[in-house]
């Protein structure tokens, strides 16, 4: 089968979402891209995770048009397509409504960097884009969701290769990475960091942000030119 590999990878990534407690019912999706073919495989719309199989993954091009598959692709397909078109370095995308990350998104707050777990992945607060304006909502909503992500990164000078996650105000998180497996990993990390930050503020509402020396140390030992970290 021409698209067997990305179907398998997309299926595996989607099945991890309920296993990791990141989705309820069908509240999420993952995709895996094949840059050479110019397509990605994504979860079909409205299909319960227990009923999924690699063969049911839908193949879509980077314009969001179905290339292969008998089911309708995820309702978030156009958002994935926008990100794949504009960010050529990513090979996987995940969208969930995981509890703590979504709570921060609904609160319209970026997640402050309070500890070294956060700094292992980002040296900035996990960004939260402002809610869409009415014109965007009334347009092609899923396409505009993709541009909501792109615009926030452009306006704030973020590099998608360094910051692989975002909260969308009033909505929920998106994550990405070199493949779907990495995007799932980032989604799980985001949910854990969101939970830790929430609990930290409950314990000490006046807690300061992580100091820069610790922030830089933890990020650089994992991502810097002389990285050595791996638990």
């Amino acid at each position: 089968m021409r698209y067997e590999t990305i179907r398998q990878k997309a299926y595996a990534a989607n099945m991890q979402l309920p296993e990791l407690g990141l989705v309820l019912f069908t509240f999420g999706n993952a995709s895996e891209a094949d840059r050479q073919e110019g397509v990605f495989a994504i979860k079909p719309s409205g299909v319960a995770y227990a009923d999924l199989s690699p063969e049911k993954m839908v193949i879509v091009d980077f314009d969001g048009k179905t290339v292969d598959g008998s089911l309708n692709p995820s309702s978030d397909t156009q958002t994935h397509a926008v990100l794949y078109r504009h960010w050529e370095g990513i090979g996987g995308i995940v969208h969930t409504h995981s509890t703590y990350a979504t709570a921060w998104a609904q609160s319209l707050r970026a997640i402050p960097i309070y500890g070294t777990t956060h700094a292992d992945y980002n040296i900035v607060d996990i960004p939260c884009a402002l809610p869409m304006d009415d014109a965007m909502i009334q347009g092609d909503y899923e396409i505009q969701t993709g541009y909501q992500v792109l615009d926030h990164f452009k306006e704030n000078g973020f590099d998608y290769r360094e910051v692989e996650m975002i909260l969308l105000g009033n909505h929920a998180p998106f994550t990405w990475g070199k493949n779907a497996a990495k995007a799932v990993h980032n989604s799980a990390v985001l949910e854990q960091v969101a939970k830790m930050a929430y609990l930290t503020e409950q314990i000490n509402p006046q807690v300061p942000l992580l100091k820069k020396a610790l922030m830089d140390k933890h990020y650089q030992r994992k991502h810097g030119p002389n990285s050595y970290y791996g638990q």
Side-chain angles (χ1 to χ4, degrees):
M1 291 176 61
R2 182 176 180 184
Y3 303 114
E4 183 176 3
T5 299
I6 58 169
R7 277 193 161 112
Q8 290 282 357
K9 290 181 178 180
Y11 169 73
N14 276 286
M15 294 307 291
Q16 276 198 288
L17 300 181
E19 289 173 8
L20 292 168
L22 297 173
V23 299
L24 179 67
F25 302 122
T26 60
F27 299 175
N29 46 75
S31 68
E32 171 89 18
D34 182 328
R35 289 285 173 182
Q36 289 188 325
E37 292 279 358
V39 298
F40 60 96
I42 193 166
K43 178 183 176 292
S45 179
V47 178
Y49 284 89
D51 296 329
L52 290 179
S53 66
E55 295 73 27
K56 290 180 180 178
M57 298 296 110
V58 185
I59 305 300
V60 182
D61 67 21
F62 294 154
D63 291 319
K65 298 175 183 176
T66 298
V67 172
D68 190 64
S70 59
L71 298 172
N72 292 325
S74 166
S75 56
D76 295 302
T77 294
Q78 295 294 341
T79 306
H80 289 238
V82 168
L83 298 181
Y84 283 129
R85 280 202 308 275
H86 288 83
W87 288 346
E88 295 183 357
I90 63 174
I93 297 170
V94 167
H95 174 50
T96 77
H97 287 249
S98 61
T99 303
Y100 285 89
T102 300
W104 283 90
Q106 291 179 171
S107 301
L108 306 182
R109 286 189 62 190
I111 302 175
I113 182 166
Y114 288 133
T116 60
T117 308
H118 185 146
D120 282 338
Y121 290 86
N122 291 298
I123 53 173
V124 297
D125 295 348
I126 295 169
C128 182
L130 292 174
M132 270 191 209
D133 61 34
D134 290 352
M136 293 175 73
I137 293 169
Q138 292 162 9
D140 292 317
Y141 178 70
E142 288 77 22
I143 291 176
Q144 294 302 326
T145 300
Y147 284 102
Q148 185 184 14
V149 176
L150 296 175
D151 290 347
H152 191 78
F153 266 60
K154 183 177 180 180
E155 290 164 5
N156 290 276
F158 296 135
D159 186 333
Y160 74 88
R161 292 158 295 194
E162 296 177 356
V163 181
E164 296 182 324
M165 53 192 69
I166 191 172
L167 310 176
L168 299 184
N170 295 151
H171 188 176
F174 276 83
T175 64
W176 50 87
K178 63 182 180 180
N179 51 38
K182 183 59 161 61
V184 170
H185 177 92
N186 287 337
S187 189
V189 168
L190 170 57
E191 177 65 5
Q192 186 69 9
V193 168
K195 182 177 182 179
M196 288 176 173
Y198 168 76
L199 293 173
T200 298
E201 291 191 353
Q202 302 310 299
I203 295 167
N204 181 3
Q206 284 78 47
V207 63
L209 296 178
L210 182 66
K211 63 182 183 179
K212 190 174 185 306
L214 266 178
M215 191 186 306
D216 290 343
K217 180 64 175 180
H218 273 259
Y219 187 82
Q220 290 299 324
R221 71 176 186 159
K222 190 165 186 176
H223 303 282
N226 298 312
S227 60
Y228 62 88
Y229 176 77
Q231 285 188 345

CSV table of all heavy atoms in Angstrom, one decimal, residues 2-11 32-34 37 39-42 57 59:
chain,number,residue,atom,x,y,z
A,2,ARG,N,0.5,2.2,-0.8
A,2,ARG,CA,1.3,3.4,-1.0
A,2,ARG,C,1.5,4.2,0.3
A,2,ARG,O,2.6,4.7,0.5
A,2,ARG,CB,0.7,4.3,-2.1
A,2,ARG,CG,1.5,5.5,-2.5
A,2,ARG,CD,0.8,6.2,-3.6
A,2,ARG,NE,1.5,7.4,-4.0
A,2,ARG,CZ,1.1,8.3,-4.9
A,2,ARG,NH1,0.0,8.0,-5.6
A,2,ARG,NH2,1.8,9.4,-5.2
A,3,TYR,N,0.4,4.3,1.1
A,3,TYR,CA,0.5,5.2,2.2
A,3,TYR,C,0.5,4.4,3.5
A,3,TYR,O,0.2,4.9,4.6
A,3,TYR,CB,-0.7,6.1,2.2
A,3,TYR,CG,-0.8,7.0,1.0
A,3,TYR,CD1,-1.9,6.8,0.1
A,3,TYR,CD2,0.1,7.9,0.7
A,3,TYR,CE1,-2.0,7.6,-1.0
A,3,TYR,CE2,0.0,8.7,-0.5
A,3,TYR,CZ,-1.0,8.5,-1.3
A,3,TYR,OH,-1.1,9.3,-2.5
A,4,GLU,N,0.9,3.1,3.5
A,4,GLU,CA,0.9,2.2,4.6
A,4,GLU,C,1.7,2.8,5.8
A,4,GLU,O,1.2,2.7,6.9
A,4,GLU,CB,1.3,0.8,4.2
A,4,GLU,CG,1.2,-0.2,5.4
A,4,GLU,CD,1.6,-1.6,5.0
A,4,GLU,OE1,2.0,-1.8,3.8
A,4,GLU,OE2,1.5,-2.5,5.8
A,5,THR,N,2.9,3.3,5.5
A,5,THR,CA,3.8,3.7,6.6
A,5,THR,C,3.2,4.9,7.4
A,5,THR,O,3.1,4.8,8.7
A,5,THR,CB,5.1,4.1,6.1
A,5,THR,OG1,5.7,3.0,5.4
A,5,THR,CG2,6.1,4.6,7.2
A,6,ILE,N,2.7,5.9,6.7
A,6,ILE,CA,2.2,7.0,7.5
A,6,ILE,C,0.8,6.7,8.1
A,6,ILE,O,0.5,7.2,9.2
A,6,ILE,CB,2.1,8.3,6.7
A,6,ILE,CG1,1.2,8.2,5.4
A,6,ILE,CG2,3.4,8.9,6.3
A,6,ILE,CD1,0.9,9.5,4.7
A,7,ARG,N,0.1,5.8,7.5
A,7,ARG,CA,-1.2,5.3,8.2
A,7,ARG,C,-0.9,4.6,9.5
A,7,ARG,O,-1.5,4.9,10.5
A,7,ARG,CB,-2.0,4.4,7.2
A,7,ARG,CG,-2.8,5.1,6.2
A,7,ARG,CD,-3.8,4.2,5.5
A,7,ARG,NE,-4.9,4.9,4.9
A,7,ARG,CZ,-5.1,5.0,3.6
A,7,ARG,NH1,-4.2,4.4,2.8
A,7,ARG,NH2,-6.1,5.7,3.1
A,8,GLN,N,0.1,3.8,9.5
A,8,GLN,CA,0.5,3.1,10.7
A,8,GLN,C,1.0,4.0,11.8
A,8,GLN,O,0.6,3.9,12.9
A,8,GLN,CB,1.7,2.1,10.4
A,8,GLN,CG,1.2,0.9,9.5
A,8,GLN,CD,0.5,-0.2,10.3
A,8,GLN,OE1,0.4,-0.1,11.5
A,8,GLN,NE2,0.1,-1.2,9.7
A,9,LYS,N,1.8,5.0,11.4
A,9,LYS,CA,2.3,6.0,12.3
A,9,LYS,C,1.2,6.9,12.9
A,9,LYS,O,1.2,7.2,14.1
A,9,LYS,CB,3.4,6.8,11.7
A,9,LYS,CG,4.7,6.0,11.4
A,9,LYS,CD,5.8,6.8,10.8
A,9,LYS,CE,7.1,6.0,10.6
A,9,LYS,NZ,8.2,6.9,10.0
A,10,ALA,N,0.3,7.3,12.0
A,10,ALA,CA,-0.8,8.1,12.5
A,10,ALA,C,-1.7,7.3,13.4
A,10,ALA,O,-2.2,7.8,14.5
A,10,ALA,CB,-1.6,8.7,11.3
A,11,TYR,N,-2.0,6.1,13.1
A,11,TYR,CA,-2.8,5.2,13.9
A,11,TYR,C,-2.1,5.0,15.3
A,11,TYR,O,-2.8,5.2,16.3
A,11,TYR,CB,-3.0,3.9,13.3
A,11,TYR,CG,-3.6,2.8,14.2
A,11,TYR,CD1,-5.0,2.9,14.5
A,11,TYR,CD2,-2.8,1.8,14.7
A,11,TYR,CE1,-5.5,1.9,15.4
A,11,TYR,CE2,-3.4,0.8,15.5
A,11,TYR,CZ,-4.7,0.9,15.9
A,11,TYR,OH,-5.3,0.0,16.7
A,32,GLU,N,0.3,12.4,10.8
A,32,GLU,CA,1.7,12.1,10.4
A,32,GLU,C,1.9,12.5,8.9
A,32,GLU,O,1.1,12.1,8.1
A,32,GLU,CB,2.0,10.6,10.6
A,32,GLU,CG,3.4,10.2,10.0
A,32,GLU,CD,4.5,10.3,11.0
A,32,GLU,OE1,4.3,10.4,12.2
A,32,GLU,OE2,5.7,10.3,10.6
A,33,ALA,N,2.9,13.3,8.6
A,33,ALA,CA,3.1,13.8,7.2
A,33,ALA,C,4.2,13.0,6.5
A,33,ALA,O,5.1,12.4,7.1
A,33,ALA,CB,3.5,15.2,7.3
A,34,ASP,N,4.0,12.9,5.2
A,34,ASP,CA,5.0,12.4,4.3
A,34,ASP,C,5.4,13.6,3.4
A,34,ASP,O,4.6,13.9,2.4
A,34,ASP,CB,4.5,11.2,3.5
A,34,ASP,CG,5.5,10.6,2.6
A,34,ASP,OD1,6.4,11.3,2.1
A,34,ASP,OD2,5.5,9.4,2.3
A,37,GLU,N,5.7,12.8,-0.5
A,37,GLU,CA,4.4,12.6,-1.2
A,37,GLU,C,3.5,13.9,-1.1
A,37,GLU,O,2.6,14.0,-1.9
A,37,GLU,CB,3.7,11.4,-0.6
A,37,GLU,CG,4.4,10.1,-0.8
A,37,GLU,CD,4.1,9.5,-2.2
A,37,GLU,OE1,3.3,10.2,-2.9
A,37,GLU,OE2,4.6,8.4,-2.5
A,39,VAL,N,1.6,14.7,1.5
A,39,VAL,CA,0.3,14.3,2.1
A,39,VAL,C,0.5,14.1,3.6
A,39,VAL,O,1.7,14.0,4.1
A,39,VAL,CB,-0.2,13.1,1.5
A,39,VAL,CG1,-0.5,13.3,0.0
A,39,VAL,CG2,0.7,11.9,1.6
A,40,PHE,N,-0.6,13.9,4.3
A,40,PHE,CA,-0.5,13.5,5.7
A,40,PHE,C,-1.7,12.5,6.0
A,40,PHE,O,-2.7,12.6,5.3
A,40,PHE,CB,-0.5,14.6,6.7
A,40,PHE,CG,-1.7,15.6,6.7
A,40,PHE,CD1,-2.7,15.4,7.6
A,40,PHE,CD2,-1.7,16.7,5.8
A,40,PHE,CE1,-3.8,16.3,7.5
A,40,PHE,CE2,-2.8,17.5,5.8
A,40,PHE,CZ,-3.8,17.4,6.7
A,41,ALA,N,-1.5,11.7,7.0
A,41,ALA,CA,-2.5,10.7,7.4
A,41,ALA,C,-3.1,11.3,8.7
A,41,ALA,O,-2.4,11.7,9.6
A,41,ALA,CB,-1.9,9.3,7.6
A,42,ILE,N,-4.4,11.3,8.8
A,42,ILE,CA,-5.1,11.8,10.0
A,42,ILE,C,-6.3,11.0,10.4
A,42,ILE,O,-6.9,10.2,9.6
A,42,ILE,CB,-5.5,13.3,9.7
A,42,ILE,CG1,-5.9,14.0,11.0
A,42,ILE,CG2,-6.6,13.3,8.7
A,42,ILE,CD1,-6.1,15.5,10.9
A,57,MET,N,-7.2,5.5,8.7
A,57,MET,CA,-6.6,6.8,8.6
A,57,MET,C,-6.8,7.4,7.2
A,57,MET,O,-6.7,6.7,6.2
A,57,MET,CB,-5.1,6.7,8.9
A,57,MET,CG,-4.8,6.2,10.3
A,57,MET,SD,-5.3,7.2,11.7
A,57,MET,CE,-6.7,6.2,12.3
A,59,ILE,N,-5.9,9.9,4.1
A,59,ILE,CA,-4.8,10.6,3.5
A,59,ILE,C,-5.3,11.9,2.9
A,59,ILE,O,-6.2,11.9,2.1
A,59,ILE,CB,-4.1,9.7,2.4
A,59,ILE,CG1,-3.7,8.3,3.0
A,59,ILE,CG2,-2.9,10.4,1.8
A,59,ILE,CD1,-2.8,8.4,4.2
